[in-house]
Amino acid sequence: MNYTSVAFIFIFLPTVLLGLWILKKLRVKNNIISGYLLAASLVFYGWGGIGNLFIVLILSVLNYMVSIKLAGGGRRKYWLAVGIIINLSVLLGYKYTNFAVNSIRSLLSMEQVSLPIPAAPLGLSFFTFLSIAYLADVYRGRVQVQRNAIRYLEYVFFFPKVTMGPITRMETMQGDLCSHQISLDNVYHGMLRFCVGFIKKILLANQVAVVADAVFNAGEAVAMPLAWLGILSYSMQIYLDFSAYSDMAIGLGKIFGVTIIENFNYPYISQSIKEFWRRWHISLSTWFRDYVYIPLGGNKKGTLTTYRNLMVVFFLTGLWHGASWNFIVWGLYFGVFLLLERIGLERLLKKAPTVFRHFYALFVVMIGWVFFRADSLGAGLEYLKCMFGATSGSIENLAILKTLTPQYFFFLGVSFLACTPIAKVVGNKIKAPVVRDILILVLFFLSLCYMAASSYNPFIYTRF
């Protein structure tokens, strides 16, 4: 089920809220509320296929059993290894088997094959990282093991975050799951946050996506201006799309009295790649820091080991996003720039004007997005040629030119502003918050009209 679907907006969410209101009026025990929200979350997840729900449910039960063993005190390293192996085996089996087999066959100049492996369950990558983090935190003593199976499954399947994150750890949610403190104030502000995300997705991300898709799907060399316009549009789209989902997840969590962590902090205002990765997909960055980079030694074991650890993290970051060489190159590309900044580039940047530092960060990030968006590594390289005038692309591509409407350029300008803190600063300065809130509701209603009139456009990170 998609947050921007009629079924979710007009049926699922109102029904769940009504049921929760009734339960609160009846003053039922918190365990019953946990069971109710778990049931709702299972319906939400199972909407995409009962088979996928069954697989993830089995995995969740196995993780629960392993966590109990970890808290038991005996053979703890063994049980942690068992839990990690179980989770990674399922992830690797579903997402990377065909990629590994075909990569080996390509090296051996053999014909590629497609193994009969079904599509991975929705949000499997997020589920895997969530589960590994929980087991590791129980092992380290950072969180108490959740012995209540219903409450543990609620944590795993809580529908605002189950398919696309943020990767919210048990230590953040555990207190809320035990209390479910729901107030009218939280419901009101949670709804507003949800509306903001909905507006960003429908009115902004979906609008600039039209040009991004047209340029990248042209199937031929495009002129340099169109290539740059295409990657600029995609840069706006991917941030607005994913941060919109995070806004909606955080808002929904607040409605139900559950804290979901912030995942973005205006990454496009960064002045270095190091800063960008502190602001972009924060839950993923901190996961790799805490469960890969630091366990490998972090920056405590010498310069060469630090560089190795950085490259391992960004190799895995790329691979996490998809079984394709262009994702791996995308990850390593950022790893190289982080190494360069550590070696001395960061010191040089600090001496440069602020405008130059912003331009540098945006330029590097946009080049990286080419590999992220392209269908293959070869397609990404061809697109870069178009961007830098190394190919004679046409500027008369009718499919692209038809998308360059005044409406598109208006939304592109608004999208650019939405990628900065300007709107937030202006909104906070409004002395009558009700004016701001009414504006959000009006734009939400307009977004609903756009949603009804447009074709289905899923969130980008659904595939991860």
Side-chain angles (χ1 to χ4, degrees):
M1 194 181 300
N2 196 297
Y3 285 172
T4 57
S5 66
V6 171
F8 182 84
I9 296 292
F10 295 107
I11 300 175
F12 179 82
L13 185 57
T15 302
V16 174
L17 286 172
L18 177 61
L20 185 62
W21 179 79
I22 293 173
L23 291 176
K24 281 291 184 179
K25 283 292 183 181
L26 295 174
R27 299 182 182 277
V28 300
K29 293 182 178 180
N30 192 58
N31 280 341
I32 294 177
I33 292 178
S34 290
Y36 171 74
L37 289 177
L38 171 60
S41 297
L42 293 175
V43 170
F44 176 87
Y45 189 88
W47 197 271
I50 297 298
N52 289 339
L53 172 61
F54 184 67
I55 292 166
V56 178
L57 193 55
I58 290 176
L59 274 172
S60 299
V61 172
L62 290 174
N63 279 310
Y64 171 75
M65 294 169 64
V66 170
S67 71
I68 298 298
K69 290 289 186 180
L70 280 171
R75 304 180 68 190
R76 299 179 71 246
K77 286 186 178 180
Y78 167 79
W79 285 111
L80 177 63
V82 167
I84 292 174
I85 289 171
I86 289 173
N87 285 286
L88 290 182
S89 295
V90 175
L91 179 65
L92 294 173
Y94 271 107
K95 289 191 65 174
Y96 302 103
T97 302
N98 275 320
F99 172 66
V101 170
N102 285 326
S103 295
I104 293 171
R105 293 178 73 91
S106 294
L107 288 173
L108 300 176
S109 299
M110 299 171 67
E111 183 180 353
Q112 291 194 346
V113 296
S114 181
L115 301 176
I117 298 174
L122 189 64
L124 181 61
S125 296
F126 287 98
F127 168 82
T128 301
F129 277 25
L130 181 86
S131 301
I132 291 175
Y134 173 66
L135 296 177
D137 286 348
V138 170
Y139 173 79
R140 295 171 176 174
R142 289 186 59 174
V143 297
Q144 287 188 336
V145 67
Q146 180 55 262
R147 296 184 180 276
N148 185 316
I150 298 298
R151 204 162 286 160
Y152 171 75
L153 291 175
E154 181 194 6
Y155 161 68
V156 172
F157 282 97
F158 189 51
F159 72 87
K161 63 160 188 62
V162 64
T163 56
M164 288 184 282
I167 306 171
T168 305
R169 303 179 197 176
M170 179 65 88
E171 63 182 317
T172 300
M173 292 180 59
Q174 194 163 39
D176 296 334
L177 296 176
C178 293
S179 61
H180 285 297
Q181 294 294 328
I182 299 168
S183 66
L184 286 177
D185 185 68
N186 280 347
V187 170
Y188 176 72
H189 287 99
M191 282 292 191
L192 285 178
R193 184 69 181 266
F194 178 87
C195 290
V196 168
F198 192 90
I199 293 163
K200 285 165 71 173
K201 168 62 178 171
I202 300 297
L203 284 189
L204 299 181
N206 283 8
Q207 305 309 312
V208 296
V210 173
V211 170
D213 290 344
V215 176
F216 273 91
N217 296 335
E220 60 183 62
V222 297
M224 184 165 61
L226 293 179
W228 279 99
L229 189 60
I231 195 56
L232 175 63
S233 299
Y234 183 71
S235 299
M236 300 295 104
Q237 178 198 359
I238 191 170
Y239 167 70
L240 293 168
D241 187 286
F242 196 22
S243 67
Y245 183 94
S246 296
D247 287 336
M248 296 163 83
I250 292 167
L252 289 170
K254 197 173 188 67
I255 290 169
F256 293 102
V258 176
T259 300
I260 295 178
I261 62 172
E262 295 289 342
N263 211 22
F264 291 90
N265 184 22
Y266 301 104
Y268 290 158
I269 68 171
S270 300
Q271 299 181 39
S272 67
I273 301 306
K274 179 181 178 181
E275 182 184 359
F276 173 80
W277 278 101
R278 287 178 174 173
R279 293 175 175 271
W280 176 270
H281 204 340
I282 298 168
S283 65
L284 182 67
S285 299
T286 54
W287 192 97
F288 274 111
R289 180 197 67 197
D290 293 345
Y291 302 107
V292 178
Y293 181 71
I294 291 177
L296 285 175
N299 57 0
K300 305 295 185 183
K301 295 185 177 181
T303 302
L304 292 179
T305 301
T306 299
Y307 295 166
R308 181 208 64 186
N309 294 344
L310 274 174
M311 295 308 294
V312 168
V313 163
F314 278 88
F315 168 79
L316 294 175
T317 300
L319 191 62
W320 180 87
H321 282 87
S324 174
W325 283 107
N326 52 311
F327 286 118
I328 292 174
V329 168
W330 173 79
L332 293 175
Y333 167 84
F334 278 107
V336 168
F337 273 95
L338 285 168
L339 287 186
L340 291 175
E341 289 183 2
R342 275 183 171 270
I343 291 170
L345 181 57
E346 187 175 28
R347 290 192 295 273
L348 292 176
L349 288 171
K350 289 180 179 179
K351 298 177 182 179
T354 302
V355 173
F356 177 83
R357 296 200 297 269
H358 283 303
F359 177 81
Y360 153 78
L362 281 174
F363 179 81
V364 172
V365 170
M366 287 174 65
I367 297 300
W369 287 140
V370 171
F371 294 107
F372 197 92
R373 175 58 178 82
D375 294 329
S376 65
L377 182 57
L381 294 173
E382 288 299 319
Y383 194 93
L384 287 176
K385 290 181 181 179
C386 296
M387 288 176 62
F388 292 100
T391 183
S392 55
S394 171
I395 202 165
E396 299 177 357
N397 187 300
L398 294 179
I400 298 175
L401 294 178
K402 285 180 180 179
T403 65
L404 303 181
T405 62
Q407 176 180 296
Y408 158 74
F409 285 105
F410 170 77
F411 282 118
L412 182 67
V414 176
S415 296
F416 181 81
L417 293 177
C419 291
T420 71
I422 292 175
K424 184 177 180 180
V425 171
V426 172
N428 290 337
K429 287 187 176 181
I430 295 177
K431 294 183 178 180
V434 66
V435 175
R436 176 197 61 204
D437 297 349
I438 290 173
L439 177 60
I440 290 174
L441 293 175
V442 169
L443 291 175
F444 176 68
F445 177 77
L446 180 62
S447 300
L448 288 174
C449 296
Y450 266 83
M451 181 189 76
S454 63
S455 59
Y456 175 65
N457 192 350
F459 289 92
I460 292 174
Y461 263 70
T462 301
R463 58 181 172 150
F464 304 130

mmCIF file of all heavy atoms in Angstrom, residues 64 67-68 134 138 143-153 155 170 174 177-178:
data_model
loop_
_atom_site.group_PDB
_atom_site.id
_atom_site.type_symbol
_atom_site.label_atom_id
_atom_site.label_comp_id
_atom_site.label_asym_id
_atom_site.label_seq_id
_atom_site.Cartn_x
_atom_site.Cartn_y
_atom_site.Cartn_z
ATOM 1 N N TYR A 64 13.386 -12.726 16.720
ATOM 2 C CA TYR A 64 12.896 -12.636 18.102
ATOM 3 C C TYR A 64 13.502 -13.749 18.949
ATOM 4 O O TYR A 64 13.989 -13.511 20.069
ATOM 5 C CB TYR A 64 11.378 -12.712 18.106
ATOM 6 C CG TYR A 64 10.786 -12.855 19.491
ATOM 7 C CD1 TYR A 64 10.726 -11.774 20.359
ATOM 8 C CD2 TYR A 64 10.299 -14.096 19.931
ATOM 9 C CE1 TYR A 64 10.204 -11.913 21.644
ATOM 10 C CE2 TYR A 64 9.768 -14.242 21.202
ATOM 11 C CZ TYR A 64 9.728 -13.152 22.051
ATOM 12 O OH TYR A 64 9.208 -13.296 23.321
ATOM 13 N N SER A 67 17.153 -13.080 19.599
ATOM 14 C CA SER A 67 17.343 -12.008 20.591
ATOM 15 C C SER A 67 17.145 -12.526 22.011
ATOM 16 O O SER A 67 17.851 -12.097 22.939
ATOM 17 C CB SER A 67 16.393 -10.846 20.298
ATOM 18 O OG SER A 67 15.043 -11.193 20.585
ATOM 19 N N ILE A 68 16.193 -13.438 22.202
ATOM 20 C CA ILE A 68 15.991 -14.027 23.527
ATOM 21 C C ILE A 68 17.224 -14.830 23.932
ATOM 22 O O ILE A 68 17.663 -14.789 25.094
ATOM 23 C CB ILE A 68 14.734 -14.926 23.531
ATOM 24 C CG1 ILE A 68 13.483 -14.107 23.224
ATOM 25 C CG2 ILE A 68 14.604 -15.651 24.866
ATOM 26 C CD1 ILE A 68 13.177 -13.027 24.227
ATOM 27 N N TYR A 134 19.120 -4.308 15.837
ATOM 28 C CA TYR A 134 18.486 -4.712 17.091
ATOM 29 C C TYR A 134 19.278 -5.826 17.771
ATOM 30 O O TYR A 134 19.557 -5.761 18.981
ATOM 31 C CB TYR A 134 17.050 -5.176 16.818
ATOM 32 C CG TYR A 134 16.376 -5.780 18.029
ATOM 33 C CD1 TYR A 134 16.081 -4.997 19.143
ATOM 34 C CD2 TYR A 134 16.042 -7.139 18.067
ATOM 35 C CE1 TYR A 134 15.472 -5.544 20.264
ATOM 36 C CE2 TYR A 134 15.434 -7.694 19.186
ATOM 37 C CZ TYR A 134 15.145 -6.895 20.275
ATOM 38 O OH TYR A 134 14.550 -7.437 21.390
ATOM 39 N N VAL A 138 21.182 -5.496 21.388
ATOM 40 C CA VAL A 138 20.906 -6.397 22.510
ATOM 41 C C VAL A 138 22.216 -7.039 22.978
ATOM 42 O O VAL A 138 22.489 -7.141 24.176
ATOM 43 C CB VAL A 138 19.879 -7.486 22.108
ATOM 44 C CG1 VAL A 138 19.780 -8.557 23.202
ATOM 45 C CG2 VAL A 138 18.513 -6.862 21.860
ATOM 46 N N VAL A 143 20.257 -1.898 24.472
ATOM 47 C CA VAL A 143 18.816 -1.949 24.716
ATOM 48 C C VAL A 143 18.483 -3.251 25.443
ATOM 49 O O VAL A 143 19.207 -4.251 25.303
ATOM 50 C CB VAL A 143 17.997 -1.884 23.398
ATOM 51 C CG1 VAL A 143 18.212 -0.575 22.684
ATOM 52 C CG2 VAL A 143 18.311 -3.064 22.497
ATOM 53 N N GLN A 144 17.417 -3.217 26.203
ATOM 54 C CA GLN A 144 16.931 -4.435 26.826
ATOM 55 C C GLN A 144 16.166 -5.251 25.784
ATOM 56 O O GLN A 144 15.466 -4.690 24.939
ATOM 57 C CB GLN A 144 16.007 -4.109 27.999
ATOM 58 C CG GLN A 144 16.730 -3.586 29.224
ATOM 59 C CD GLN A 144 15.795 -3.455 30.412
ATOM 60 O OE1 GLN A 144 14.594 -3.315 30.248
ATOM 61 N NE2 GLN A 144 16.362 -3.509 31.616
ATOM 62 N N VAL A 145 16.319 -6.551 25.842
ATOM 63 C CA VAL A 145 15.620 -7.397 24.893
ATOM 64 C C VAL A 145 14.112 -7.236 25.102
ATOM 65 O O VAL A 145 13.625 -7.104 26.227
ATOM 66 C CB VAL A 145 16.037 -8.877 25.050
ATOM 67 C CG1 VAL A 145 15.569 -9.439 26.387
ATOM 68 C CG2 VAL A 145 15.498 -9.713 23.904
ATOM 69 N N GLN A 146 13.372 -7.205 24.016
ATOM 70 C CA GLN A 146 11.921 -7.090 24.076
ATOM 71 C C GLN A 146 11.329 -8.505 24.125
ATOM 72 O O GLN A 146 11.256 -9.199 23.115
ATOM 73 C CB GLN A 146 11.393 -6.327 22.848
ATOM 74 C CG GLN A 146 9.882 -6.156 22.808
ATOM 75 C CD GLN A 146 9.323 -5.511 24.047
ATOM 76 O OE1 GLN A 146 8.840 -6.212 24.934
ATOM 77 N NE2 GLN A 146 9.419 -4.188 24.125
ATOM 78 N N ARG A 147 10.921 -8.923 25.313
ATOM 79 C CA ARG A 147 10.412 -10.284 25.480
ATOM 80 C C ARG A 147 8.940 -10.418 25.077
ATOM 81 O O ARG A 147 8.471 -11.532 24.843
ATOM 82 C CB ARG A 147 10.594 -10.737 26.936
ATOM 83 C CG ARG A 147 12.065 -10.832 27.336
ATOM 84 C CD ARG A 147 12.249 -11.380 28.735
ATOM 85 N NE ARG A 147 13.675 -11.447 29.083
ATOM 86 C CZ ARG A 147 14.484 -12.439 28.759
ATOM 87 N NH1 ARG A 147 13.997 -13.466 28.072
ATOM 88 N NH2 ARG A 147 15.754 -12.426 29.113
ATOM 89 N N ASN A 148 8.260 -9.312 24.981
ATOM 90 C CA ASN A 148 6.871 -9.339 24.532
ATOM 91 C C ASN A 148 6.861 -9.478 23.008
ATOM 92 O O ASN A 148 7.203 -8.547 22.286
ATOM 93 C CB ASN A 148 6.160 -8.058 24.972
ATOM 94 C CG ASN A 148 4.683 -8.074 24.651
ATOM 95 O OD1 ASN A 148 4.268 -8.462 23.558
ATOM 96 N ND2 ASN A 148 3.873 -7.645 25.600
ATOM 97 N N ALA A 149 6.469 -10.652 22.525
ATOM 98 C CA ALA A 149 6.552 -10.933 21.089
ATOM 99 C C ALA A 149 5.684 -9.982 20.266
ATOM 100 O O ALA A 149 6.080 -9.553 19.176
ATOM 101 C CB ALA A 149 6.153 -12.385 20.813
ATOM 102 N N ILE A 150 4.490 -9.650 20.784
ATOM 103 C CA ILE A 150 3.586 -8.753 20.059
ATOM 104 C C ILE A 150 4.226 -7.384 19.893
ATOM 105 O O ILE A 150 4.207 -6.777 18.823
ATOM 106 C CB ILE A 150 2.234 -8.623 20.789
ATOM 107 C CG1 ILE A 150 1.535 -9.981 20.864
ATOM 108 C CG2 ILE A 150 1.337 -7.595 20.092
ATOM 109 C CD1 ILE A 150 1.201 -10.578 19.507
ATOM 110 N N ARG A 151 4.840 -6.918 20.978
ATOM 111 C CA ARG A 151 5.468 -5.586 20.936
ATOM 112 C C ARG A 151 6.699 -5.601 20.034
ATOM 113 O O ARG A 151 6.978 -4.618 19.329
ATOM 114 C CB ARG A 151 5.853 -5.161 22.354
ATOM 115 C CG ARG A 151 5.958 -3.660 22.523
ATOM 116 C CD ARG A 151 5.891 -3.288 23.976
ATOM 117 N NE ARG A 151 4.534 -3.429 24.487
ATOM 118 C CZ ARG A 151 4.236 -3.547 25.777
ATOM 119 N NH1 ARG A 151 5.211 -3.547 26.678
ATOM 120 N NH2 ARG A 151 2.996 -3.658 26.161
ATOM 121 N N TYR A 152 7.446 -6.701 20.023
ATOM 122 C CA TYR A 152 8.595 -6.787 19.121
ATOM 123 C C TYR A 152 8.133 -6.759 17.664
ATOM 124 O O TYR A 152 8.704 -6.042 16.841
ATOM 125 C CB TYR A 152 9.393 -8.070 19.375
ATOM 126 C CG TYR A 152 10.458 -8.305 18.322
ATOM 127 C CD1 TYR A 152 11.621 -7.550 18.325
ATOM 128 C CD2 TYR A 152 10.259 -9.222 17.295
ATOM 129 C CE1 TYR A 152 12.588 -7.727 17.339
ATOM 130 C CE2 TYR A 152 11.222 -9.398 16.303
ATOM 131 C CZ TYR A 152 12.379 -8.658 16.337
ATOM 132 O OH TYR A 152 13.323 -8.823 15.350
ATOM 133 N N LEU A 153 7.100 -7.517 17.342
ATOM 134 C CA LEU A 153 6.593 -7.544 15.970
ATOM 135 C C LEU A 153 5.998 -6.191 15.575
ATOM 136 O O LEU A 153 6.082 -5.779 14.418
ATOM 137 C CB LEU A 153 5.554 -8.650 15.811
ATOM 138 C CG LEU A 153 6.096 -10.081 15.903
ATOM 139 C CD1 LEU A 153 4.963 -11.097 15.866
ATOM 140 C CD2 LEU A 153 7.089 -10.366 14.773
ATOM 141 N N TYR A 155 7.183 -3.361 16.616
ATOM 142 C CA TYR A 155 8.386 -2.575 16.294
ATOM 143 C C TYR A 155 8.861 -2.860 14.870
ATOM 144 O O TYR A 155 9.162 -1.943 14.100
ATOM 145 C CB TYR A 155 9.489 -2.901 17.301
ATOM 146 C CG TYR A 155 10.885 -2.528 16.851
ATOM 147 C CD1 TYR A 155 11.261 -1.203 16.715
ATOM 148 C CD2 TYR A 155 11.829 -3.520 16.564
ATOM 149 C CE1 TYR A 155 12.539 -0.860 16.300
ATOM 150 C CE2 TYR A 155 13.110 -3.181 16.159
ATOM 151 C CZ TYR A 155 13.457 -1.853 16.021
ATOM 152 O OH TYR A 155 14.713 -1.519 15.606
ATOM 153 N N MET A 170 15.464 0.230 18.113
ATOM 154 C CA MET A 170 14.606 -0.095 19.257
ATOM 155 C C MET A 170 14.785 0.903 20.386
ATOM 156 O O MET A 170 13.817 1.260 21.074
ATOM 157 C CB MET A 170 14.898 -1.518 19.731
ATOM 158 C CG MET A 170 14.073 -1.948 20.930
ATOM 159 S SD MET A 170 12.304 -2.046 20.589
ATOM 160 C CE MET A 170 12.194 -3.748 19.995
ATOM 161 N N GLN A 174 11.339 2.014 21.883
ATOM 162 C CA GLN A 174 10.911 1.077 22.914
ATOM 163 C C GLN A 174 9.996 1.719 23.963
ATOM 164 O O GLN A 174 8.942 1.160 24.317
ATOM 165 C CB GLN A 174 12.117 0.446 23.602
ATOM 166 C CG GLN A 174 11.772 -0.773 24.441
ATOM 167 C CD GLN A 174 12.999 -1.605 24.768
ATOM 168 O OE1 GLN A 174 14.067 -1.073 25.048
ATOM 169 N NE2 GLN A 174 12.863 -2.916 24.727
ATOM 170 N N LEU A 177 6.525 2.331 22.505
ATOM 171 C CA LEU A 177 5.758 1.107 22.315
ATOM 172 C C LEU A 177 5.174 0.603 23.630
ATOM 173 O O LEU A 177 4.147 -0.087 23.644
ATOM 174 C CB LEU A 177 6.641 0.012 21.690
ATOM 175 C CG LEU A 177 7.165 0.298 20.279
ATOM 176 C CD1 LEU A 177 8.097 -0.826 19.838
ATOM 177 C CD2 LEU A 177 6.034 0.455 19.288
ATOM 178 N N CYS A 178 5.814 0.943 24.733
ATOM 179 C CA CYS A 178 5.337 0.490 26.042
ATOM 180 C C CYS A 178 4.250 1.396 26.612
ATOM 181 O O CYS A 178 3.595 1.040 27.599
ATOM 182 C CB CYS A 178 6.500 0.418 27.035
ATOM 183 S SG CYS A 178 7.712 -0.872 26.644
#
